[in-house]
Amino acid sequence: MPYKPLNLSTPVPILSWANHELGHQEIKMAKNTASLPFVFKHVALMPDVHLGKGALVGSVIATKEAIIPAAVGVDIGCGMAAIKTAYTADQLEGKLKKIRLDIEAAIPVGFNQNKDTDKTVDNWQGWQQFKDLHPGVQHLESKAMKQMGSLGGGNHFIEVCLDTENSVWLMLHSGSRNIGNMLAQCHISTAKELTRLANTQLPDSDLAYFVQGTPEFAAYWRDLQWAQNYARFNREAMMARFKRIIEKHLAGGKQAKPLLEVNCHHNYAEQEVHFGEEVYVTRKGAVRAREQDYGIIPGSMGAKSFIIKGKGNAHSYCSCSHGAGRLMSRNKAKENFSLDDLLEQTQGVECRKDTGILDEIPGAYKPIEQVMANQSDLVEVVATLKQVVCVKG
């Protein structure tokens, strides 16, 4: 589906790939973002767009000489990782529950962390820069090290999937854990304080920003890149453990080289060139989809997911959606669905079947097929996956 410009009076246009009408609050949030003086060219809304904090989740914002910390969000570098294995569906038969239990034993979820750090984590070069991070997180180094290689909570997950040719894929969704959250909160507070001291009028205090060339901008950008690297390596550390578990059950512990590996952020900012100009691109719930870029667009825990390749659509700032997008809030999902609904909607998936994950029920998300149809001009599908094991955060 090609984009449609929203019929709104804003300093820069808002281009939308969503086929649904935005609600009042969503329109207000989009207008607020598009009204900022440093926003470049236009704001792009992905097919899975929905309410966020400050800026919409599923929005791509290009800015000149400024950046908005809350638009990146608190889970800096949150994203996806997937590998295609040489294993096939028949090798999984009778092993799904054991695999799930082994994943849950090897990879901490929720607020849990590792008891000890392994050699790979200890050797991550990012620890050398920890002393340069914001003073507000200096006491968190030990915790950050122990959380490296852990999943977190909310909509984070680990899945064993099958594609349409019955090949086994490993997929997971996670970010920068507590350290990314704390770094973001420190810088968001600083941005809000600068706004207050300068008496700058903003349509929403969560759109407080840093100006390029200031010490505050430089400090945020340094910490942002560090947290994005942490998030990427966190996924690598989990995937290595996950892969070993699968090798134990399907190949007697023998290592096998992945046929394809993908690791992509969907909550982050980078310096890029668009329409011939260097800008800061913030993807808040969006994946980079330059021509030939591989990416991952997951559905809910009972729906299909997609490995994609970007088409490099300039109007989306070479971006695509990061998932199905929520249809209802977590509280609303708990009010509207029962355990019986969860059992029905996750039929055929080896996963937890309790009320503790009702807020992640497939019915709380938009239909992923519609989301994919809306971005046929942004991506091509490389593989269609369906989970057989799902471990939730």
Side-chain angles (χ1 to χ4, degrees), residues 147-350:
Q147 284 194 328
M148 176 75 83
S150 66
L151 188 67
N155 60 356
H156 292 169
F157 63 80
I158 300 169
E159 289 183 346
V160 180
C161 304
L162 298 176
D163 66 16
T164 52
E165 296 174 346
N166 279 332
S167 292
V168 174
W169 288 71
L170 313 184
M171 187 166 73
L172 57 85
H173 172 206
S174 189
S176 54
R177 306 295 284 110
N178 178 254
I179 188 65
N181 184 346
M182 292 297 103
L183 279 169
Q185 290 195 40
C186 287
H187 289 289
I188 290 168
S189 295
T190 301
K192 286 182 176 180
E193 180 63 10
L194 289 175
T195 301
R196 187 188 68 80
L197 292 173
N199 201 26
T200 304
Q201 298 303 307
L202 288 173
D204 183 339
S205 63
D206 282 313
L207 293 175
Y209 57 90
F210 293 127
V211 176
Q212 186 180 355
T214 62
E216 293 84 5
F217 182 102
Y220 175 64
W221 192 254
R222 175 200 65 215
D223 291 0
L224 179 72
Q225 299 307 308
W226 185 91
Q228 288 172 184
N229 290 334
Y230 178 102
R232 184 180 296 278
F233 195 79
N234 181 42
R235 292 191 290 272
E236 289 178 6
M238 281 187 284
M239 187 61 82
R241 290 185 204 169
F242 187 12
K243 183 171 171 285
R244 285 196 294 271
I245 290 166
I246 297 301
E247 287 166 347
K248 181 184 86 170
H249 287 279
L250 305 191
K254 185 180 177 183
Q255 292 186 3
K257 190 176 180 180
L259 303 180
L260 178 68
E261 297 181 77
V262 187
N263 193 336
C264 59
H265 297 319
H266 56 225
N267 278 359
Y268 73 113
E270 290 289 0
Q271 211 166 7
E272 298 176 1
V273 174
H274 292 276
F275 300 98
E277 296 194 46
E278 198 169 79
V279 291
Y280 294 99
V281 178
T282 296
R283 293 185 177 92
K284 186 181 179 76
V287 177
R288 191 177 67 190
R290 299 175 306 186
E291 202 168 336
Q292 302 303 309
D293 268 347
Y294 280 97
I296 306 166
I297 304 177
S300 63
M301 63 187 288
K304 295 173 183 175
S305 296
F306 298 87
I307 307 298
I308 57 89
K309 196 182 281 185
K311 291 185 175 180
N313 188 308
H315 297 289
S316 71
Y317 298 110
C318 300
S319 307
C320 65
S321 84
H322 79 311
R326 292 196 73 93
L327 197 58
M328 58 180 72
S329 69
R330 296 185 181 279
N331 287 336
K332 196 172 179 184
K334 290 175 183 176
E335 291 167 6
N336 280 266
F337 292 106
S338 66
L339 182 57
D340 286 341
D341 294 323
L342 179 70
L343 294 173
E344 183 183 343
Q345 292 181 31
T346 59
Q347 213 166 13
V349 181
E350 173 59 45

Side-chain angles (χ1 to χ4, degrees), residues 96-110 151-161 171-174 238 242 245 301 349-353 357 360 387-393:
L96 297 183
K97 187 169 185 180
K98 288 180 180 177
I99 288 171
R100 175 171 72 89
L101 294 175
D102 276 1
I103 293 168
E104 290 172 346
I107 302 174
V109 303
L151 188 67
N155 60 356
H156 292 169
F157 63 80
I158 300 169
E159 289 183 346
V160 180
C161 304
M171 187 166 73
L172 57 85
H173 172 206
S174 189
M238 281 187 284
F242 187 12
I245 290 166
M301 63 187 288
V349 181
E350 173 59 45
C351 64
R352 284 173 54 194
K353 311 275 187 178
I357 56 168
E360 282 294 304
Q387 68 279 87
V388 290
V389 176
C390 179
V391 173
K392 294 296 295 185

Side-chain angles (χ1 to χ4, degrees), residues 137-148:
V137 303
Q138 288 302 313
H139 64 294
L140 294 173
E141 184 172 9
S142 174
K143 183 171 186 175
M145 292 184 78
K146 288 181 178 177
Q147 284 194 328
M148 176 75 83

